Amino acid sequence: MPYNRETAGKGGHADFVRNPDVQRFLSDCDYMKPPSDAEAEAIISTFINAPAGHPPRLPNFVVASDASKSDNPINDKLPSTQLGFIKVSHVLIAMDKYAELIDPRSRFVDPFKVAEMHRNAQPITYVLPGSNILYRGSANVRDGFRRAVYDQLTANRREGANRMVLTETLLTLNDDLITIKACPSAECSEPIEHLEFTQSAQTHSCPACRTTIYATDWLRLHEGISDFGNNASAMTRMMNVVEHLLLAAFILELLRDTAHVQVLARIAFVVDGPLALFGEPAKLHKRIMSLLYRANLKLAGLGFEPLLVLGLQKTGAVMDHALLLERFLPKGKGVLRLIDDDYRSKYITGSSTPSANFGHETYYGQDFLFKTERGRIFNFALPYPFENKGIGYNSAEFAQMKADIAQYGSLVERACDLIRHFELDLYDNAIVPVALAHRHASISIMPGGKVLDLLTRASLSR
Ligand SMILES: [Zn+2]
């Protein structure tokens, strides 16, 4: 993801907006507009003082992930032949070691020491066929893409005898049973009955066309693939799926062994982007929400605090809104706002008919706006502290439940403390671990499983 906010530099944009046809069209639309002074004052009066621990409540470890992708043609001479390449980097920061990175004179992170950290890391990579590429003899791009998704997610991403296999993670998230109800092959799409996928049966043949169907087809990533069109959005969906499955894989592994569970209470996972999954694989968000809930139950049973998973968004509508408000926010004071659905529809999306529950099909985390004492603004998200969105209550009730800040317990304060600790002038409204992970994914230089090996070892040594 790009770091600096990219501003469109195209000439003629102002002319275009002044065009009477465009003006007339806009008058028929609802959209985010800069608030008037009076409106801004009213909005800001609903912000609360940001909680702070004394001393700050910081984790022992931070694991930050960042993903990047490329979906360019394989070479300039074949512009319609596209390959998807996804990289996900993880940076593990032991907080006691982090202090050593800060130059005591400038309070900035020492770039030479950071470079040293980078040498210890390697992104996990995934390669996928795009338009005009037939993988392993497939009849069409889409079927080849399905197979590539399965092959890539079924590869073990950990060294030695240890395993980190995302297809297994996907099945575990689904209680070891995935059901697919229609043949995903581009040329068949026959409804099928009782095709059940388990850890020991991850593939089946379609009873109608004999094409191989994979457990990973449940993600529906292939539905965005066409033989000749631009498949960039399918690659983006795959990237998001991988990033969230890796988070789930880390958590599941630490939950598996009682000796490691306590690490979960002392760790913060920082995800670059919203706690949500969009498009074809969006239903995966429910499984992750339920995993986090169950992890927290286990932690609570052992007397530990809930797990801190923090989504950080550098761009998007909430950040755009925050920047419009910036000059009205109090100086030198940390303030916070939970973005409830009313607030979102009134001030951010500009919609007069809000949905019963924003992000019902996509989000597993709640957005917050936080302006630090030093004046930087962050849009962070914390997982909804519920197992699901609607068994025993409806979606409008869920919208109320998720907006109750008390439900997030200590997590709000811990999130604010973490952001304060890592906020940095060097990176525009970013925090250090994400900036580090980001640098990694952008330039290529610990397989992801290595993070897990280090964490499980750390839990035993403390
Ligand atoms: Zn079929």
Side-chain angles (χ1 to χ4, degrees):
M1 282 182 196
Y3 246 78
N4 292 319
R5 299 173 58 78
E6 284 163 12
T7 47
K10 300 234 163 79
H13 177 74
D15 290 346
F16 155 79
V17 177
R18 273 197 296 269
N19 179 298
D21 289 337
V22 173
Q23 284 293 327
R24 210 172 306 123
F25 181 84
L26 280 177
S27 69
D28 285 338
C29 303
D30 289 324
Y31 57 96
M32 193 196 305
K33 301 177 185 80
S36 68
D37 287 14
E39 265 174 334
E41 294 301 334
I43 297 172
I44 282 160
S45 68
T46 68
F47 279 57
I48 59 169
N49 290 337
H54 301 286
R57 305 185 52 190
L58 297 169
N60 296 111
F61 303 100
V62 177
V63 175
S65 74
D66 190 52
S68 69
K69 59 147 199 167
S70 134
D71 40 41
N72 295 325
I74 51 173
N75 73 46
D76 295 345
K77 296 201 177 70
L78 295 167
S80 59
T81 307
Q82 181 190 33
L83 203 63
F85 182 60
I86 292 163
K87 286 192 279 189
V88 184
S89 292
H90 288 92
V91 171
L92 169 66
I93 295 180
M95 295 292 272
D96 48 355
K97 295 269 182 341
Y98 175 72
E100 296 165 15
L101 292 177
I102 310 270
D103 182 331
R105 285 159 304 171
S106 66
R107 294 284 308 148
F108 280 146
V109 171
D110 183 332
F112 295 104
K113 290 188 177 149
V114 169
E116 213 173 273
M117 251 169 99
H118 279 172
R119 278 195 286 276
N120 290 321
Q122 254 176 27
I124 312 179
T125 59
Y126 301 85
V127 189
L128 294 157
S131 56
N132 262 327
I133 295 191
L134 300 176
Y135 175 66
R136 289 196 163 188
S138 61
N140 51 65
V141 177
R142 194 197 273 199
D143 283 354
F145 183 87
R146 288 194 302 114
R147 170 144 193 199
V149 168
Y150 177 72
D151 285 353
Q152 299 278 311
L153 295 185
T154 306
N156 186 13
R157 305 291 180 159
R158 234 171 138 186
E159 284 168 334
N162 296 312
R163 292 178 71 76
M164 189 172 72
V165 178
L166 294 185
T167 303
E168 293 171 9
T169 305
L170 181 66
L171 276 155
T172 308
L173 283 172
N174 282 284
D175 306 321
D176 291 331
L177 181 66
I178 281 176
T179 315
I180 292 177
K181 295 191 177 107
C183 177
S185 170
E187 278 149 28
C188 174
S189 307
E190 287 290 320
I192 38 182
E193 270 178 58
H194 304 301
L195 218 40
E196 294 185 339
F197 298 78
T198 59
Q199 299 286 11
S200 57
Q202 298 182 355
T203 65
H204 287 291
S205 286
C206 169
C209 73
R210 311 313 304 171
T211 296
T212 309
I213 305 176
Y214 307 93
T216 47
D217 290 340
W218 179 84
L219 291 164
R220 298 175 48 215
L221 288 161
H222 55 274
E223 289 179 20
I225 293 289
S226 68
D227 278 18
F228 305 110
N230 185 340
N231 292 314
S233 87
M235 306 298 176
T236 303
R237 303 281 186 243
M238 172 74 175
M239 175 177 81
N240 293 337
V241 162
V242 164
E243 215 178 354
H244 289 87
L245 280 179
L246 284 166
L247 170 71
F250 287 175
I251 294 170
L252 281 168
E253 169 80 16
L254 292 170
L255 276 176
R256 204 161 288 146
D257 185 336
T258 320
H260 299 151
V261 174
Q262 45 138 345
V263 179
L264 281 179
R266 297 189 282 124
I267 197 169
F269 289 101
V270 182
V271 177
D272 181 29
L275 298 182
L277 283 140
F278 302 103
E280 292 81 4
K283 65 187 165 188
L284 180 61
H285 89 273
K286 293 185 194 167
R287 312 308 309 184
I288 294 176
M289 184 172 154
S290 139
L291 167 70
L292 295 174
Y293 178 82
R294 284 180 286 130
N296 286 335
L297 275 189
K298 189 153 185 181
L299 283 168
L302 294 166
F304 294 115
E305 298 236 48
L307 168 63
L308 180 57
V309 174
L310 191 70
L312 272 175
Q313 249 187 300
K314 295 181 292 277
T315 55
V318 175
M319 274 313 271
D320 288 351
H321 163 76
L323 296 170
L324 292 175
L325 275 187
E326 197 167 12
R327 65 191 176 95
F328 299 98
L329 289 166
K331 307 265 178 290
K333 198 170 131 188
V335 290
L336 180 84
R337 182 68 161 87
L338 182 150
I339 308 292
D340 57 57
D341 288 2
D342 287 343
Y343 185 101
R344 192 186 294 267
S345 63
K346 202 162 164 192
Y347 302 120
I348 300 176
T349 55
S351 161
S352 49
T353 47
S355 59
N357 176 35
F358 170 82
H360 193 71
E361 306 294 336
T362 47
Y363 275 68
Y364 66 92
Q366 172 62 46
D367 275 323
F368 293 80
L369 253 187
F370 172 36
K371 186 193 75 78
T372 66
E373 289 75 5
R374 290 182 214 164
R376 272 181 295 276
I377 296 184
F378 295 88
N379 168 201
F380 72 83
L382 294 172
Y384 297 137
F386 307 102
E387 187 166 18
N388 61 63
K389 291 183 178 176
I391 300 171
Y393 40 85
N394 63 39
S395 53
E397 283 169 321
F398 183 78
Q400 296 292 321
M401 288 159 61
K402 73 180 183 186
D404 176 6
I405 200 164
Q407 296 284 352
Y408 298 86
S410 65
L411 289 171
V412 180
E413 182 175 295
R414 287 158 63 201
C416 291
D417 280 345
L418 185 78
I419 290 171
R420 285 186 191 100
H421 189 75
F422 282 111
E423 69 174 311
L424 194 70
D425 281 46
L426 277 179
Y427 308 98
D428 190 23
N429 291 336
I431 66 168
V432 177
V434 174
L436 290 182
H438 173 77
R439 252 203 225 173
H440 239 332
S442 318
I443 40 171
S444 177
I445 48 167
M446 159 190 17
K450 194 88 184 251
V451 169
L452 208 44
D453 294 339
L454 290 172
L455 279 175
T456 46
R457 215 176 302 147
S459 73
L460 298 175
S461 67
R462 273 164 200 251

